[in-house]
Amino acid sequence: MAESLERIDVKLSPAPDKRIPLMKSRGGRRRGDTWVISVFVIIQIGVFIATMLVNDCWTNSHGDCVLKGLGRFSFQPLTENPHLGPSQSKLDEMGALRWSLLTEQHQTWRLFTFPFLHAGLFHLFPNLSNIVYVGVHLEREFGPIRIGIIYALSSFVGALVASLFLQNTPTVGASGALYGLLGTLLSELVWNWKFHTNKISAITTLVCVFVSNFVYGFLPYVDNFASIGGFISGFLLGSVFLLSPQLQPVAPNKGGLLEYGVKSYIKLKLKKKLDRPVLRIVSLILFGLLLAGCLVGVLHGININSYCTWCPYVDCIPFPSWHCKDTEPSCETMVSDAQLTMTCIGNGNFRVFPFTNISRARMNDLCNLIC
């Protein structure tokens, strides 16, 4: 009986890819999901466009504007707003914080608009650029939900802290959210220091962004106390939510601001089993005390500047174009021959304007500029 030959097919498969896979979180979330930061950035850009639309420098300032070719979207003169932005009265109208409006008129809704306002174009661009740079890295590592919660709560607490140091000039606090992210980054670096492979880059980024934006906050209308409140909140909330990232290691060619080595990742997995609930609980209690204390202070109209003479200089440095004294300017107005003459009662300065048809709010802007 003839033997039948059986054909055997042999397929050579390529060697398995031993590269570490891209980070994914539980539930299959890809590492590139960064929609929360994008949403907040779009909202802030939209608010700034709306602010300039309401400002309408070409009409309200009778053409005395910067970049006149933009028409309705042109900016107030730099002597009035060094940030290339709107007037004081329009910042008030859009929801900036001011002592008299918050405590005397009880307009508490400003606590929720304050974190979305920028003083001008020079404030908007660097602030949003830093939010995108720091926020996207954090959101990639820890997910949109946790970073979104930290962003929102840091902004709100920043507004509460700023409310305890207000003067009778409008201030905006969009930088509070940025400092909340910086505080979160610092907490992550502190508690997971041994597991990072890119420590110097992360620390350098944090220090540079912190210092440059805080120095910029000495200009009028930008509130540094919101930044301080946001930073403390971000650190405490980061200690609650981000003690260890819930992610797998990054591919060798995909390193970023927060980068973990392979050995560090193995240690991190062990560390997650020995989590530190006491630290989380203590951080949560401290955040709750901060939030409650600020709320009580704001509702009772407490102004810490009354007890701290040097506190205003944390937020302002005197300059020939502006001062840091909390004084309400007062002007004498005279109308003649289609001209408006305004004289500051405090220092005697005066100015003649070739128009008379302006609103009371705009007259207050001009009076503040003269005084």
Side-chain angles (χ1 to χ4, degrees):
M1 185 175 180
E3 295 182 357
S4 59
L5 297 177
E6 183 178 358
R7 182 179 177 182
I8 301 176
D9 293 331
V10 178
K11 294 183 179 180
L12 298 176
S13 59
D17 190 355
K18 295 183 179 180
R19 291 179 302 173
I20 301 172
L22 262 175
M23 282 188 170
K24 287 189 179 181
S25 66
R26 297 176 190 176
R29 180 185 63 81
R30 292 190 62 83
R31 189 176 185 264
D33 292 347
T34 56
W35 61 270
V36 162
I37 295 298
S38 300
V39 168
F40 281 123
V41 168
I42 291 172
I43 291 174
Q44 296 205 35
I45 293 175
V47 170
F48 183 73
I49 293 174
T51 301
M52 297 312 303
L53 185 67
V54 170
N55 185 65
D56 191 7
C57 179
W58 185 258
T59 300
N60 295 324
S61 297
H62 297 270
D64 184 18
C65 311
V66 176
L67 299 179
K68 298 179 181 180
L70 296 177
R72 189 184 185 97
F73 292 94
S74 55
F75 306 98
Q76 300 301 131
L78 292 177
T79 53
E80 183 176 350
N81 185 335
H83 307 281
L84 202 64
S87 63
Q88 281 195 20
S89 58
K90 296 308 176 182
L91 285 175
D92 283 333
E93 189 174 331
M94 292 301 295
L97 282 177
R98 186 195 284 258
W99 174 252
S100 58
L101 297 177
L102 182 65
T103 59
E104 297 174 9
Q105 301 184 30
H106 306 290
Q107 297 180 2
T108 53
W109 56 269
R110 293 178 179 275
L111 294 170
F112 301 97
T113 55
F114 170 83
F116 292 96
L117 291 173
H118 288 84
L121 210 59
F122 296 153
H123 183 206
L124 178 79
F125 280 161
N127 191 64
L128 291 189
S129 298
N130 290 322
I131 284 177
V132 169
Y133 180 68
V134 178
V136 164
H137 279 89
L138 287 170
E139 191 176 350
R140 283 175 178 172
E141 301 297 334
F142 302 104
I145 302 302
R146 287 185 284 180
I147 298 304
I149 292 173
I150 291 173
Y151 186 105
L153 290 178
S154 297
S155 299
F156 182 64
V157 173
L160 292 177
V161 172
S163 299
L164 300 175
F165 297 88
L166 288 178
Q167 297 184 343
N168 272 316
T169 54
T171 59
V172 298
S175 297
L178 169 62
Y179 278 82
L181 296 176
L182 292 176
T184 301
L185 175 61
L186 178 62
S187 70
E188 203 283 332
L189 288 170
V190 169
W191 304 127
N192 295 317
W193 180 257
K194 294 182 180 179
F195 308 106
H196 282 279
T197 60
N198 204 8
K199 300 180 180 70
I200 301 301
S201 175
I203 288 294
T204 302
T205 298
L206 193 153
V207 171
C208 289
V209 174
F210 186 102
V211 172
S212 60
N213 282 271
F214 199 84
V215 170
Y216 187 83
F218 289 123
L219 292 174
Y221 313 138
V222 180
D223 201 305
N224 272 343
F225 288 106
S227 301
I228 294 172
F231 186 79
I232 296 173
S233 301
F235 183 86
L236 294 175
L237 291 171
S239 300
V240 173
F241 291 112
L242 312 183
L243 276 180
S244 56
Q246 307 293 330
L247 303 170
Q248 296 180 8
V250 66
N253 60 341
K254 297 288 185 180
L257 184 60
L258 298 175
E259 182 181 354
Y260 304 93
V262 178
K263 292 182 180 179
S264 297
Y265 167 68
I266 296 173
K267 293 179 182 179
L268 195 58
K269 296 295 287 185
L270 295 174
K271 178 190 172 195
K272 285 163 59 180
K273 297 179 181 180
L274 301 173
D275 204 354
R276 293 167 285 188
V278 174
L279 179 58
R280 291 180 187 269
I281 293 172
V282 170
S283 299
L284 184 59
I285 291 174
L286 290 175
F287 175 77
L289 292 174
L290 174 65
L291 177 61
C294 290
L295 275 173
V296 171
V298 171
L299 293 176
H300 283 78
I302 295 176
N303 190 334
I304 298 179
N305 288 329
S306 302
Y307 313 96
C308 175
T309 56
W310 55 265
C311 285
Y313 298 100
V314 175
D315 194 38
C316 174
I317 292 180
F319 197 73
S321 300
W322 65 84
H323 58 79
C324 303
K325 297 178 181 179
D326 189 17
T327 57
E328 192 73 26
S330 179
C331 291
E332 185 180 71
T333 304
M334 183 175 61
V335 179
S336 62
D337 297 330
Q339 290 184 334
L340 176 68
T341 303
M342 298 186 69
T343 305
C344 178
I345 296 177
N347 56 23
N349 292 339
F350 72 94
R351 186 172 173 183
V352 179
F353 300 95
F355 48 78
T356 58
N357 56 330
I358 60 173
S359 65
R360 171 58 61 181
R362 184 58 188 155
M363 289 181 68
N364 290 337
D365 291 337
L366 296 176
C367 180
N368 185 78
L369 182 62
I370 295 171
C371 293

